[in-house]
Amino acid sequence: MARIIVITSGKGGVGKTTTAAAMAMGLAQRGHRTAVVDFDVGLRNLDLIMGCERRVVYDFVNVINGEANLNQALIRDKRCDNLYVLPASQTRDKDALSKEGVGEVLAQLGESYDFVICDSPAGIEHGATMAMYYADDAVVVTNPEVSSVRDSDRMLGILASKSRRAEHDEEPIREHLLLTRYAPERVARGEMLSVADVQEILSLKLLGVVPESQAVLNASNAGVPVILDSESDAGQAYADMVARYLGEEIPMRFLESGKKRLFSRLFGG
Amino acid sequence: MRVPWHGLACIPDAALPIPRVPAAPRFSIPPAATSPPVPSFAPTNPSGAAGSGQAARPLNPSFEMKAAAFTLPVLRLLALDMDAVAEELAARVEQAPGFFRNTPVVVDLGALTEAEDAVDFPQLVGLLRGLGMIPVGVRGGNAEQHQAAQAMELAILADVLKSRARAGSRPAGTETSETEPADSNGAANLSSGVDQTVSLITRPVRSGQRVYAAGGDMTVIAPVSSGADLMADGSIHVYGPLRGRAMAGLRGNKAARIFCSDLQAELVSIAGHYRVSENIPAELRGRQVQIFLDHEVLRIDPL
């Protein structure tokens, strides 16, 4: 039975899809059969970030509606045999996601995969609640600024009360905090919340800190999950985060501006 | 600083769907706690009949009998002219139709002490039903009125609030709309998400969550986020940063207190007396404090 991981945030533009792509690729590279599902019906992006936009035939909504079977809709990643992408429909809206339909698709995926990653849309409406409903783990992606932190807090509340696990009184969803677009020099200048500030407000286990990096934009434009850019700071941060998720103890990196400058000088990242 | 304490009226900036009443209202609708008497099924015979009581109970009972308290809107009649009531009520319902649809309503007769005439219950019940409400009972009033109400199958509810000299003591007309902003989401929110019977909270209360301890105290041993609401009929204890709102004594218990180990609250309130963050002295922020009512004044003292 697969572990279902939702990548969520509440706020948009914080790096959910980048994180979903990177984490899925990271888990797959380590030999785990992984499927990544785009829940952002109507605004699909994951296919672009994964670089498979030109191979989309059927999508998630087709599968829910029985117009295609799951294997027809899943796209195998060309770089890693263990990774499959289930794209969202661009022509429908989120009402096409029914609780039963999503549950069935995730249950089917669960039979043949080790990890199913759900890339949640922004907001706390239907699409986002569908993405998190069946989750076993949640990665809450947060930027170090107050509105993102508050939205994440709200999303954590929803995870704790409206998920299947909450409704069935099971062990709650395991929540992890991922801080993205972290700029240590701006933290040092007092322009940005620090890791400690965010952790104090959210009181959550920190899974990783991904520094603000040009590599992320470059990777998105190229359709390559940033984790494959192993020389970049962001790529390394995501690799660390995947390792931590799998239970390895790895010290946090990229928290100091000095180190970042060193990496910038060495790798131009 | 005094705001009415019933229902959720103590939230000063909540979006309130019900507009202000006309200048001379013939009724008002404060939500009020009504606890219909529920028969106790525990053996009451003192002559040691406990054994026979146990024996009489089936092994696999088909039901449980429990007591529960509900917050219901109360229609407080200020005049007997049913046509005028009908007119005003229809206008009110039109402004917030969702609030009244299928809502159980209690009729308060407490303001009609002077009235000689009997209340026209058949017309009133028909009127309420016609507007989508479900009249369930009456409160206050005299014996004749009770008889007339019972003829219309309305329950006579115990006037639990009479001792507080609230209902009926105020001259008709002084009760203005500020007493009745019954947040139409309020009652629903109270019961959604969080189990009402649990008063020990061990997980963080997140932004957007509301937790209500009905009829008692609440203890939170986790952080309370900005944008979260804690509500209790009794006292509230928070061992962790309190960044959201805490409302103790929600039903008017002035002896209720709030204790917290790290005060960063957006709003604290006891029995409707509240202070927002702006009015909490800076030197008390982040401190361990208790908050209580001292002669109708909300005090925050360091512990």
Side-chain angles (χ1 to χ4, degrees), chain A residues 150 152-158 160-161 172-173 175 200-204, chain B residues 193-194 203-209 223 225-227 241 243 262 264 266:
Chain A
R150 175 184 279 184
S152 294
D153 194 50
R154 178 87 168 96
M155 186 43 87
L156 285 161
I158 293 171
S161 58
I173 293 177
E175 300 155 343
E200 209 226 310
I201 296 171
L202 294 179
S203 50
L204 210 59
Chain B
V194 187
R203 289 173 59 83
V205 186
R206 302 292 185 180
S207 187
Q209 290 188 312
S225 293
S226 152
R243 300 192 177 95
D262 182 356
Q264 303 178 38
E266 292 171 335

Side-chain angles (χ1 to χ4, degrees), chain B residues 81-100:
Chain B
D81 181 357
M82 285 302 142
D83 292 334
V85 172
E87 196 177 306
E88 276 179 44
L89 199 54
R92 185 79 75 89
V93 169
E94 200 173 300
Q95 283 163 327
F99 177 72
F100 295 103

Side-chain angles (χ1 to χ4, degrees), chain B residues 167-180:
Chain B
S169 66
R170 261 186 259 179
T174 60
E175 192 157 324
T176 58
S177 66
E178 66 175 58
T179 61
E180 52 93 310

Side-chain angles (χ1 to χ4, degrees), chain B residues 205-285:
Chain B
V205 186
R206 302 292 185 180
S207 187
Q209 290 188 312
R210 315 183 96 186
V211 193
Y212 176 41
D217 289 6
M218 174 192 294
T219 307
V220 183
I221 51 171
V224 179
S225 293
S226 152
D229 288 358
L230 302 182
M231 295 176 281
D233 293 339
S235 296
I236 296 176
H237 308 255
V238 183
Y239 302 93
L242 170 59
R243 300 192 177 95
R245 294 171 167 182
M247 288 162 262
L250 200 69
R251 288 173 194 243
N253 181 358
K254 291 179 181 171
R257 294 187 176 206
I258 298 169
F259 305 87
C260 68
S261 58
D262 182 356
L263 176 71
Q264 303 178 38
E266 292 171 335
L267 178 147
V268 290
S269 141
I270 289 171
H273 298 254
Y274 71 94
R275 273 205 222 181
V276 291
S277 176
E278 204 175 60
N279 300 328
I280 296 174
E283 64 269 21
L284 290 170
R285 293 190 74 79

Side-chain angles (χ1 to χ4, degrees), chain A:
Chain A
M1 195 62 198
R3 197 88 190 154
I4 298 174
I5 308 164
V6 61
I7 314 290
T8 188
S9 70
K11 195 168 171 10
V14 295
K16 284 183 296 297
T17 303
T18 301
T19 300
M23 191 175 181
M25 181 60 84
L27 290 168
Q29 278 183 323
R30 286 166 167 261
H32 303 287
R33 282 180 61 80
T34 305
V36 56
V37 183
D38 191 350
F39 275 77
D40 206 347
V41 178
L43 291 168
R44 79 167 190 230
N45 287 145
L46 182 68
D47 53 329
L48 287 172
I49 308 293
M50 296 296 297
C52 64
E53 74 277 9
R54 297 203 289 179
R55 295 195 285 144
V56 175
V57 183
Y58 293 109
D59 57 49
F60 192 12
V61 173
N62 291 138
V63 179
I64 288 178
N65 292 346
E67 295 150 8
N69 69 40
L70 191 55
N71 290 328
Q72 287 174 304
L74 282 167
I75 304 169
R76 199 181 77 183
D77 191 88
K78 284 186 171 169
R79 294 151 299 212
C80 184
D81 288 348
N82 290 321
L83 179 58
Y84 287 78
V85 181
L86 182 56
S89 170
Q90 183 72 347
T91 52
R92 310 291 185 85
D93 60 34
K94 282 159 181 91
D95 296 336
L97 299 174
S98 65
K99 194 181 269 186
E100 297 73 28
V102 171
E104 246 168 62
V105 172
L106 291 180
Q108 271 189 54
L109 285 170
E111 287 166 14
S112 38
Y113 291 88
D114 303 322
F115 292 104
V116 177
I117 295 188
C118 303
D119 180 22
S120 171
I124 53 171
E125 285 79 28
H126 185 69
T129 50
M130 282 299 103
M132 66 86 186
Y133 185 74
Y134 293 97
D136 302 306
D137 292 287
V139 175
V140 178
V141 183
T142 307
N143 289 167
E145 49 98 16
V146 284
S147 59
S148 174
V149 171
R150 175 184 279 184
D151 290 359
S152 294
D153 194 50
R154 178 87 168 96
M155 186 43 87
L156 285 161
I158 293 171
L159 288 170
S161 58
K162 297 212 175 124
S163 65
R164 183 187 58 85
R165 281 172 174 266
E167 286 180 4
H168 290 74
D169 231 355
E170 293 170 22
E171 188 192 332
I173 293 177
R174 261 196 279 164
E175 300 155 343
H176 308 270
L177 174 65
L178 181 71
L179 213 51
T180 55
R181 308 194 69 166
Y182 195 71
E185 63 278 11
R186 296 192 64 189
V187 174
R189 287 204 299 269
E191 297 169 6
M192 203 178 242
L193 295 175
S194 70
V195 174
D197 293 337
V198 177
Q199 259 199 298
E200 209 226 310
I201 296 171
L202 294 179
S203 50
L204 210 59
K205 193 167 156 274
L206 187 65
L207 192 60
V209 177
V210 179
E212 173 85 65
S213 168
Q214 181 61 37
V216 172
L217 190 58
N218 294 346
S220 298
N221 290 338
V224 178
V226 70
I227 197 169
L228 293 176
D229 185 357
S230 56
E231 293 194 342
S232 70
D233 47 2
Q236 292 176 17
Y238 274 116
D240 286 3
M241 168 248 188
V242 171
R244 280 189 208 104
Y245 174 77
L246 293 171
E248 293 175 31
E249 294 281 338
I250 296 178
M252 292 289 164
R253 294 196 275 170
F254 314 111
L255 300 181
E256 304 292 332
S257 50
K259 276 183 194 161
K260 184 174 189 287
R261 272 192 224 108
L262 178 69
F263 274 105
S264 305
R265 253 182 288 149
L266 284 178
F267 303 119

